[in-house]
Amino acid sequence: MTRTVYVARRPCGCLQGFAVTGTPSQDKDASKYVGRWIRDGFPVDRLELTDDEQIAATRCEEHTSHD
């Protein structure tokens, strides 16, 4: 199964957040978060991932406290 995942990263490359779509509830949440990230100036990528694939939750040393 493939899911659409929206990923926002900070300018340094750290993960800002991600949102998964697939159910009406997830779609609504993803829309809310993606809109917020775009308004806040974070680039957002749209990925098509299978259940076996994962997103790297990378953090630079400066942002290790962001969760």
Side-chain angles (χ1 to χ4, degrees), residues 1 3 20-29:
M1 181 175 176
R3 293 190 181 265
V20 180
T21 63
T23 67
S25 175
Q26 289 173 326
D27 295 351
K28 182 179 177 184
D29 288 344

Side-chain angles (χ1 to χ4, degrees), residues 2-57:
T2 301
R3 293 190 181 265
T4 300
V5 180
Y6 294 91
V7 180
R9 295 201 179 268
R10 294 181 176 95
C12 62
C14 288
L15 181 70
Q16 168 64 24
F18 68 93
V20 180
T21 63
T23 67
S25 175
Q26 289 173 326
D27 295 351
K28 182 179 177 184
D29 288 344
S31 177
K32 177 178 67 174
Y33 288 120
V34 169
R36 183 180 307 155
W37 295 327
I38 290 171
R39 281 191 307 278
D40 290 345
F42 295 108
V44 178
D45 294 322
R46 181 177 187 254
L47 308 173
E48 297 293 329
L49 301 178
T50 65
D51 291 340
D52 297 335
E53 295 175 301
Q54 297 181 6
I55 299 167

Side-chain angles (χ1 to χ4, degrees), residues 55-66:
I55 299 167
T58 56
R59 299 268 197 245
C60 72
E61 195 170 309
E62 180 182 348
H63 293 113
T64 54
S65 64
H66 291 299

